[in-house]
Every structure is written in C-alpha cells, then in structure tokens.
Amino acid sequence: RGGDFLNGGMDPLREMARRDPRGPAVMGAFASTGYGSGTDPVEWNWQTLDRHADAAAHRLAEAGVGPGERVATLLPASPEMVVLLHALPRVGALLQPLNTAWTEEELVRALGGPKTSGSGPAPSILGPSAPSLLLVPGDRVGTFRGALPGMGTVAVEDVVELDGAPDPAGGLAHRPALPPSEDDTPLAILLTSGSTGRPRPIPLTHGNLMASARGTAARLRLDPADRWLASLSPAHVGGLALLHRAAVVGSAVVTTPSFDPEVFLDLADRGEVTHASLVPVMLRRLLELRGDRPAPRGLRCVLLGGAATPRPLLEEGLAKRWPVALTYGLTEATSQVATAPPDEVRRKAGTVGRPLPGVEVAIREADAEGVGEILVRGPTVALLPPAPPGEPGVRLAPSGWLHTGDLGRRDGDGDLWITGRASDRIVSGGVTLEPGEVEAVLFRHPAVRDVAVVGAPDETWGERVVAVVVPADPGAPPSLDEILEFARAKLSAAKRPRELRIRSDLPRNANGKVDRGRL
C-alpha cells in the first residue's frame, strides 16, 4: 500500500473499507474455538465492519441519539465495542466507556444514580450531566433499569447484531447531515485512572486520536498485516486507542472474552496474534505459564504500559526473547507519549524511548541528576477541564504544556527514563526518596514475587518506609531482617524499609498501577 495507509480521511473506517474492503478487520474468538462462550466466531472484513457501523448508527438515530449526546457503554474489548466506536461519530455522539470491573454500586454512583447503600444521590464522576443512553449486555438491562430509572438503558444486542449480514436503513449507508469530523471534534470521554486523586473525565477529540494513531504507527513500524490482541479494557486509554488505531493502520483486531494467558499463547503460537498491549502483571503471568520456552515466534511486539515495568521482569522477558516495547503515556495525552520499540529496548533496557513524532517532552526544574517533572505538548494533548480546587492531578498550562506530575530524565540520545511520581515521593528523616528505586532493589530478592513501597506517618522520621511484599512462597514469607540484610549494600539507611507488610496480592487500578492510596 506504499505507506499511504496513514493518510485516512475524517472517518478512518469508511476510508479503510474503501481502500481494502476484503482485508481482515475484526476476529472474535468465541465458543466454537474453545474460548469462553457466546455466538459463533466473528470474522469481519473492513467492508462488513463498515456496514455494521452504519446499521448501528441507524438504530442509534432511531433511538433519538444525536449530536453532542453521550452514550455510556459497559462492554469489554469486543466486536460490539469496535462497531460502537465507529458508529457513534456517524450520529455526532460521544462514546463514554465504563470499566467492566467496577461493582454495581460503583457503576450506579458513577452514573449519578442513588447510592445502593444509604440514601441520597451520589455525585457523578463522569461529568456535569449524565449520559443519555447506557448500553449493556442484555442480561444486565433489568438491573440497571431498576437502579437508574431516569436513564435509558438498552441491550447492546438491540443496537449491534453479530449474526447475519448488516442491513443499515434498507441497505443504504447511514450518512447523516453532519459536517465531517474536524481535529477539535470530541469523539470520546474517558476517565483517568484516579491514581492522583478522584478520576476525571477527559474529552478526546478526532485530532487527538488520529495524532496518537499516526505517531504510534510510525514509531512501532505498524502495517496492515499486524494482528493486535484487544487485551486492555476500552475504558483504559490504551485499549480505546488500540481499537481506533487499527482502523487508521488497517490492522486486524483479535478479541477474546477476557485476557487469558493460555488463550494468548495459543493464538500467538498459531500466528493469529502478532502484537499485544499489556500491563506488566499480564506479562508476568505469561512468563510464569511459558516457563523456559521462548516467546512465540510470530509475536512481533508486546507493548508494556499502564504501570512501571519492574527491572527483573523486563530482564527475564528479554532473556526469553520476548519482543518487549516500553511506553510511557497517560489519558490526558491520548495514551502514548514516548515509546521504545523492541530493538531499542534490547539495546537500552529500561528507557521508554523518544517522544512520538509530533509530540514534545520537556523536563521541568531538573535536579543535579537531570530528574524533574515531565511536561508534554502536542496534538495528542487533550483540552482538559479545570482540576477541582485543592486536588492534585495533571493540569494544562496556558502555554499548552501538560504538567503530568510524573518524574523523569532524558539522556544524551533524547530518550526518556521514568523515575517515579512527585506525589509518591517519601520524605523520611529529611531525605527525599523515590519508592521506585527501593522497589527495584527489593524485586530482586528471591523470596519476593511482588512489592510496593509507601510512606507511613511517623512521629520521629516524618514518614517511615513501608515495604508491602507478596511472597514468592506464601508459606515462607521473608522477614524484615532478611529484607534489610539484602538491601544493606544496595540502599542507604534512609531508603531501607523500617516496616514490612505481607499480602497475598497488591491492589491495582484498571490501568494495572498499584493503588498506593489503598495501601
């Protein structure tokens, strides 16, 4: 295709359906292939996907969904979700995907409904007004209609039909009298992970998503022969960006009911998956299941993001020839800011690489080692609403620079290294330390499977360093003395843990990051 697959029009799906109508677009693994349960497997080309999007747009318009309205979805990465991502812009509506891991009470609170325990309405975190429509699997419609009587709740099966040939508006494409999307046309609203405070709704525009797709495709050298496993929730910016990027590049999306390491390895061994976006805990599960066998031969890229990748995990993956790429990003910058492809990670393990094409990165108030706050500017940066007064979080300066609150440095090659987050820093006895530095040392202890380091209030030291450890052998957890002896030659006294807590796992948010507030 001569590399022109990145020059799509204002509707990337319509453009791909025109250029490569019979190319594979969505491959859904279901019951007949032994994975999960549901209908027969979905195997759509771009033309079929385009027709499904038209049919869904027609049904949404008939239901009264129009320009500027928000439609919330409670769906995993699935064929239905791919259809809705492309159908909603065709009626001028915005997609607002919700986290399927939330409890019913959390979902009702998020949607501004009454609390399921107690009385009175709960303030919505989704924005100033509730979505006009909620799309859920059919077996959950009754639950949400009862809990949210003022909101229209519709079964997704009534909007997106997986079986049979789509028949939009009697066979005619749905082409509403709307102007084509411009760079500043909002397409989706995503919630931040909440790692810096209360989750915030972030509007992402057509321009944000297109710039992210083009920059990522250029950095990772993507092409239409790729097959991406849709392994992250569409409520996570990395998951939504992947589904959108596939239409821009022309690569197929492979969906499964949920992330299952055995299914992933089977698909990759058979050449059905070449790329995947994972969080570090997913890679850990794959390495444990794979044992000493190397990565599947057809796997070209495992993109790790969402949370910092522990150095021992990275080294193990590289030693077993996994094609690991590292990325740094955030919801407010439409996922990736900087990315190191697999060949660069092999040469310089630990860096997240250079900024994507068109994205600028600066380091603010760097210390003697060059570490300071990471600032981001460019077409992927969302136009942020003001942060609530007194609440920490990412903010956008009038100059256009996004103040991330993350800490990092750039080396002589311009590559970015992430060192931590300003709000996670611990000040103990007048010494400021980064939890990530302590965690990197403790990860190497043979009795430690997982670890997080937090600061706890202390009358003598101001804060004391607490190591929360998941032991490799639950029956033989390490002691504090063992941890201190191991760390003595590697960490100065102020950085060594003064307290040890043992847990069976670490609390994590939807992005795979450790929830330090809960710890």
Side-chain angles (χ1 to χ4, degrees), residues 350-430:
T351 180
V352 295
R354 291 168 290 112
L356 296 187
V359 176
E360 298 177 72
V361 166
I363 304 298
R364 176 175 173 264
E365 297 181 354
D367 61 17
E369 297 180 348
V371 175
E373 184 187 14
I374 299 170
L375 307 185
V376 181
R377 185 166 66 181
T380 63
V381 173
L383 184 61
L384 303 185
E391 186 170 302
V394 179
R395 61 185 179 86
L396 186 63
S399 61
W401 284 105
L402 184 73
H403 290 244
T404 68
D406 292 318
L407 301 174
R409 63 178 178 85
R410 298 187 74 178
D411 62 21
D413 299 324
D415 291 320
L416 182 64
W417 298 75
I418 308 301
T419 61
R421 183 158 186 85
S423 59
D424 293 340
R425 281 176 161 172
I426 301 169
V427 181
S428 182

Side-chain angles (χ1 to χ4, degrees), residues 274 295-296 299-303 317-318 321-325 341-342 346:
T274 62
L299 200 58
R300 289 180 48 209
C301 178
V302 172
L303 183 66
L318 293 176
R321 304 205 302 272
W322 283 74
V324 176
R346 286 193 293 270

Side-chain angles (χ1 to χ4, degrees), residues 119-304:
S119 60
S124 174
I125 59 174
L126 300 186
S129 60
S132 59
L133 193 69
L134 173 63
L135 294 176
V136 300
D139 59 358
R140 304 192 71 179
V141 169
T143 297
F144 286 101
R145 282 182 178 169
L148 298 163
M151 176 174 291
T153 302
V154 174
V156 68
E157 296 91 334
D158 292 339
V159 177
V160 182
E161 293 184 4
L162 298 184
D163 298 324
D167 184 26
L172 299 175
H174 185 82
R175 299 180 186 275
L178 294 173
S181 296
E182 301 290 346
D183 281 351
D184 60 354
T185 302
L187 296 187
I189 298 178
L190 290 186
L191 288 176
T192 61
S193 66
S195 58
T196 62
R198 180 180 168 89
R200 297 169 63 197
I202 305 298
L204 299 179
T205 66
H206 171 78
N208 293 150
L209 287 162
M210 290 298 293
S212 177
R214 289 167 172 154
T216 302
R219 177 56 44 80
L220 293 177
R221 298 184 289 278
L222 305 180
D223 78 40
D226 301 335
R227 288 171 173 254
W228 279 88
L229 181 71
S231 43
L232 300 178
S233 166
H236 179 296
V237 69
L240 187 74
L242 186 160
L243 300 181
H244 179 272
R245 182 172 67 241
V248 178
V249 174
S251 55
V253 169
V254 180
T255 70
T256 58
S258 61
F259 178 75
D260 183 317
E262 291 187 8
V263 171
F264 176 94
L265 291 173
D266 183 32
L267 290 169
D269 281 330
R270 293 190 288 108
E272 295 296 321
V273 166
T274 62
H275 292 65
S277 291
L278 306 179
V279 295
V281 68
M282 291 176 173
L283 178 61
R284 184 191 301 279
R285 293 170 64 191
L286 289 169
L287 294 179
E288 290 173 349
L289 182 62
R290 194 70 166 180
D292 293 331
R293 295 175 60 199
R297 293 185 62 184
L299 200 58
R300 289 180 48 209
C301 178
V302 172
L303 183 66
L304 292 184

Side-chain angles (χ1 to χ4, degrees), residues 444-456:
R444 296 184 180 278
H445 193 291
V448 174
R449 183 178 185 271
D450 207 355
V451 62
V453 170
V454 294

Side-chain angles (χ1 to χ4, degrees), residues 99-127:
N99 189 345
T100 57
W102 283 352
T103 66
E104 180 186 329
E105 182 173 342
E106 287 173 318
L107 287 163
V108 171
R109 282 203 309 266
L111 290 163
K115 298 178 182 177
T116 55
S117 60
S119 60
S124 174
I125 59 174
L126 300 186

